[in-house]
Amino acid sequence: MATALYSKGYVHSLHDYSLFYKKSPSSIIFVVVHVDDVIITGTSSTEITELKTFLHDQFKIKDLGRLHYFLSLEVLYKEDGVIISQRKFALDLLKEFDCLHYTNLASPLDPNVKLKAKEGVDPREPHLQAALHLLRYLKGDPTLGIFMSNNPDCTIKGYCDSDWAACPDCRRSVSGYLVLQGTSPISWKSTKKETISLSSAEAEYRSLRKVVGELTWLCRLFEELTVPFSTPTFLSRSFWSFTMGAQA
């Protein structure tokens, strides 16, 4: 696939291995390739049609039309944006674990429960209960997902925090971050640190380092995608208190 795209003048992205693009004074076309799944978008419908014809001649592709399903992600279009969910995957899990007859739950997890590596007779039991709790939450609305607004606001905001010595087994810190484009979440991660932090300040600085690296990568990627930046990137040390409305 890469060789075929190169022959048509497409360039491999320096910041995302799955992304190819072709820029000209009048248009720009992006191609995302993951194994045998391809997404094509851009500003010229004529060039997109020509590219699909070329790829069909080369690989006998099947044109699925407007994007609705990709890598287990479903796309629901609305007037003010799209909702990306895993509805089919969630329903399949509910059927597989026979949870369709269970009562719905209002929260994804019990905030007062901390899972441990060694707890009870069977260490898998509390984790299984937590997974079943999450499935019962999804049963209430399997279409719950991420809302991506079509608002032209491209302001990048990063929020990060760290819970010092949060792991009850090894006392390692747990840190995480959330990055928004406008009001839409585009990147997030929560991890347990590999080493034990000697203080909460050290844990916080490690968390900041992670989100700064992510913001740097995103800024470079957006620049490659010709996304304009009108204001500096915003970074806050805490996002746990950050509240964002849900849409479905």
Side-chain angles (χ1 to χ4, degrees):
M1 177 68 75
T3 303
L5 291 172
Y6 292 154
S7 69
K8 296 295 291 183
Y10 282 81
V11 178
H12 210 157
S13 170
L14 297 175
H15 307 292
D16 191 322
Y17 186 77
S18 62
L19 176 65
F20 298 81
Y21 60 87
K22 181 180 180 180
K23 299 179 182 179
S24 69
S26 59
S27 66
I28 181 170
I29 306 295
F30 297 106
V31 182
V32 176
V33 180
H34 186 275
V35 191
D36 56 354
D37 293 317
V38 182
I39 297 177
I40 304 174
T41 187
T43 59
S44 172
S45 57
T46 301
E47 289 193 32
I48 291 176
T49 301
E50 292 176 355
L51 177 60
K52 288 192 291 186
T53 301
F54 169 75
L55 293 177
H56 179 72
D57 294 338
Q58 297 289 319
F59 307 103
K60 303 301 178 185
I61 65 172
K62 183 178 181 181
D63 187 357
L64 300 178
R66 195 179 191 186
L67 179 64
H68 286 284
Y69 193 82
F70 185 74
L71 302 180
S72 298
L73 299 175
E74 297 188 45
V75 181
L76 174 64
Y77 293 89
K78 301 182 67 178
E79 291 185 0
D80 53 348
V82 298
I83 296 177
I84 302 176
S85 71
Q86 291 186 291
R87 184 187 64 87
K88 182 179 182 301
F89 179 68
L91 291 175
D92 289 343
L93 283 178
L94 289 169
K95 293 177 183 178
E96 181 178 350
F97 290 94
D98 195 25
C99 294
L100 291 174
H101 63 282
Y102 286 178
T103 304
N104 302 343
L105 294 177
S107 63
L109 289 176
D110 186 344
N112 298 316
V113 173
K114 283 192 175 183
L115 299 178
K116 297 182 179 180
K118 298 178 181 180
E119 180 178 359
V121 178
D122 187 349
R124 296 171 298 178
E125 181 64 23
H127 298 82
L128 176 61
Q129 293 302 320
L132 292 175
H133 186 114
L134 178 59
L135 287 175
R136 293 172 65 181
Y137 168 74
L138 290 175
K139 180 178 178 293
D141 187 358
T143 63
L144 286 173
I146 300 170
F147 178 71
M148 306 295 293
S149 173
N150 58 14
N151 190 306
D153 179 16
C154 294
T155 304
I156 301 297
K157 301 176 183 178
Y159 298 86
C160 69
D161 205 347
S162 182
D163 194 356
W164 182 49
C167 179
D169 297 300
C170 63
R171 309 310 298 172
R172 295 177 184 174
S173 303
V174 176
S175 65
Y177 63 77
L178 169 68
V179 179
L180 306 177
Q181 177 186 336
T183 58
S184 303
I186 58 174
S187 179
W188 58 89
K189 190 174 184 179
S190 178
T191 58
K192 182 169 64 176
K193 295 304 180 182
E194 298 179 356
T195 59
I196 298 177
S197 299
L198 298 180
S199 66
S200 59
E202 179 183 348
E204 297 287 358
Y205 277 116
R206 289 177 180 270
S207 177
L208 284 168
R209 181 180 65 83
K210 286 290 185 181
V211 71
V212 168
E214 185 73 5
L215 290 171
T216 300
W217 171 72
L218 281 170
C219 288
R220 292 173 178 174
L221 177 63
F222 278 25
E223 182 179 0
E224 194 173 42
L225 297 177
T226 65
V227 176
F229 286 98
S230 57
T231 58
T233 302
F234 172 84
L235 175 60
S236 175
R237 191 190 59 81
S238 175
F239 73 82
W240 299 115
S241 60
F242 180 75
T243 303
M244 182 168 54
Q247 299 196 31

